[in-house]
């Protein structure tokens, strides 16, 4: 029996070893199955996480920020701002210059003369006199460019421009700057005035120069003037408007500009642009 047991034990030992070997080989594949999982984890980490651990992007970006042109942009923006500031200052200076030129031009006259009309109203000084027209023929007024205005009577009466106001009542301007006029009744004037044409060669009854100086026509010229010239307009500041001889040559008209030769203290005349020329009329 003992011999049989030993024999069975001897036979069973190799089987036990073989079984153990078989069990060991069956666990190795499990270890082998876990190994790829570890390797896959390493492979996933290697391409994506390495930049995060080493942070090459931040270092590169920092270097790039220091060396890139964008780092110099603040300097450029300052230069641009300066250039923009200079550009904005330039127009302001030019505007100031233009404004100064404009002021000078305004002081010297705009170059365009205003044409106006003036007639007797309640604010005027009106003197009643006897009929100066009588049996004399009427003539178109020298100082009105409108129909129905006339002159009559002796030169001394200074009836520069007349008009029939109502029925046979006549008003005549004698001094435009002073707003002085005369009035009288005249059947002759009332009858003929309606046929008076406009005077195409009419002259201003008042002239306004720069500075508010006003000039008016005079009937006689007895003074001596620069180089024996003549004057048919005297001004309220003592100056005078000169002409070669004819009163119609007192004014040089070009478009909307009327110029005169103004003499101060009998000196050489200076060409001046009249601000306003005024005719008798309504």
């Amino acid at each position: 029996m003992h011999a049989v047991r030993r024999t069975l034990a001897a036979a069973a030992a190799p089987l036990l070893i073989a079984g153990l070997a078989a069990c060991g080989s069956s666990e190795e594949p499990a270890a082998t199955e876990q190994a790829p999982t570890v390797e896959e984890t390493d492979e996933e980490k290697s391409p994506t996480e390495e930049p995060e651990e080493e942070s090459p992007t931040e270092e590169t970006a920092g270097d790039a920020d220091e060396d890139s042109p964008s780092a110099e942009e603040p300097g450029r923006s300052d230069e641009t701002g300066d250039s923009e500031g200079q550009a904005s200052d330039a127009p302001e200076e030019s505007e100031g210059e233009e404004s100064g030129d404009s002021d000078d031009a305004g002081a010297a006259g705009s170059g365009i003369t205003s044409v106006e009309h003036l007639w007797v109203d309640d604010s005027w000084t009106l003197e009643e006199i006897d009929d100066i027209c009588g049996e004399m023929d009427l003539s178109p007024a020298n100082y009105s460019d409108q129909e129905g205005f006339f002159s009559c009577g002796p030169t001394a009466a200074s009836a520069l421009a007349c008009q029939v106001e109502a029925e046979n009542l006549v008003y005549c301007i004698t001094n435009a700057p002073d707003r002085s006029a005369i009035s009288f009744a005249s059947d002759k004037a009332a009858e003929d005035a309606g046929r008076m044409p406009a005077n195409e060669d009419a002259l201003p009854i008042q002239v306004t120069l720069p500075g508010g100086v006003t000039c008016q026509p005079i009937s006689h010229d007895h003074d001596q003037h620069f180089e024996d010239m003549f004057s048919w307009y005297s001004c309220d500041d003592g100056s005078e408007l000169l002409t070669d001889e004819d009163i119609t040559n007192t004014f040089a008209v070009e478009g909307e500009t009327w110029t005169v030769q103004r003499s101060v203290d009998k000196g050489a005349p200076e060409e001046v642009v009249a601000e306003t020329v005024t005719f008798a009329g309504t």
Side-chain angles (χ1 to χ4, degrees), residues 61-87:
D63 296 338
D65 290 340
E66 294 176 358
D67 298 335
S68 66
S70 62
E72 299 177 357
E73 286 182 1
R76 290 196 185 95
S77 65
D78 292 339
E79 294 176 359
T80 304
D82 294 340
S83 63
E84 290 177 357
Q86 294 174 358

Side-chain angles (χ1 to χ4, degrees), residues 18-41:
L20 293 173
C23 292
S25 61
S26 63
E27 292 176 357
E28 288 178 359
T32 304
E33 288 176 1
Q34 293 176 356
T37 303
V38 175
E39 291 177 357
E40 286 177 2
T41 302

Side-chain angles (χ1 to χ4, degrees), residues 119-120 163-171:
W119 190 240
V120 180
Q163 184 186 39
V164 176
E165 291 295 304
E167 296 182 356
N168 64 346
L169 180 63
V170 178
Y171 283 178

Side-chain angles (χ1 to χ4, degrees), residues 6-268:
R6 291 192 186 97
T7 301
L8 291 174
L15 293 175
L16 180 60
I17 294 172
L20 293 173
C23 292
S25 61
S26 63
E27 292 176 357
E28 288 178 359
T32 304
E33 288 176 1
Q34 293 176 356
T37 303
V38 175
E39 291 177 357
E40 286 177 2
T41 302
D42 294 338
E43 288 177 0
E44 291 176 357
K45 290 181 180 180
S46 58
T48 58
E49 296 181 0
E50 285 180 358
E52 295 179 359
E53 294 176 357
E54 297 178 358
S55 301
T57 304
E58 296 177 357
E59 294 177 359
T60 305
D63 296 338
D65 290 340
E66 294 176 358
D67 298 335
S68 66
S70 62
E72 299 177 357
E73 286 182 1
R76 290 196 185 95
S77 65
D78 292 339
E79 294 176 359
T80 304
D82 294 340
S83 63
E84 290 177 357
Q86 294 174 358
S88 63
D89 291 339
E92 292 179 359
E93 295 177 359
S94 63
E95 287 176 0
E97 293 174 357
E98 291 178 3
S99 176
D101 295 341
S102 176
D103 292 340
D104 293 339
S110 64
I112 297 178
T113 302
S114 175
V115 178
E116 299 179 353
H117 291 84
L118 179 70
W119 190 240
V120 180
D121 59 28
D122 294 339
S123 66
W124 286 54
T125 300
L126 192 63
E127 179 186 0
E128 294 183 5
I129 64 172
D130 294 333
D131 184 4
I132 61 173
C133 292
E135 299 299 325
M136 299 176 60
D137 291 334
L138 308 185
S139 60
N142 290 329
Y143 303 101
S144 177
D145 56 358
Q146 296 180 353
E147 295 180 0
F149 287 83
F150 59 92
S151 62
C152 67
T155 303
S158 300
L160 302 179
C162 304
Q163 184 186 39
V164 176
E165 291 295 304
E167 296 182 356
N168 64 346
L169 180 63
V170 178
Y171 283 178
C172 300
I173 294 177
T174 56
N175 188 309
D178 289 344
R179 301 298 189 264
S180 298
I182 57 177
S183 68
F184 56 88
S186 175
D187 294 334
K188 176 66 174 179
E191 182 180 351
D192 297 341
R195 295 192 295 269
M196 284 295 102
N199 187 348
E200 295 181 355
D201 298 321
L203 296 170
I205 200 168
Q206 177 179 301
V207 180
T208 304
L209 304 180
V213 175
T214 59
C215 309
Q216 65 171 329
I218 58 176
S219 57
H220 299 283
D221 180 19
H222 300 295
D223 293 335
Q224 292 295 318
H225 309 288
F226 179 79
E227 293 186 352
D228 294 328
M229 297 181 73
F230 293 82
S231 174
W232 300 104
Y233 280 83
S234 64
C235 305
D236 60 2
D237 67 343
S239 62
E240 53 197 5
L241 308 184
L242 301 186
T243 179
D244 53 1
E245 183 175 1
D246 193 341
I247 187 176
T248 60
N249 295 331
T250 303
F251 304 94
V253 183
E254 184 175 353
E256 298 181 353
T257 302
W258 294 56
T259 57
V260 296
Q261 300 296 323
R262 180 190 184 196
S263 172
V264 178
D265 295 330
K266 309 299 181 181

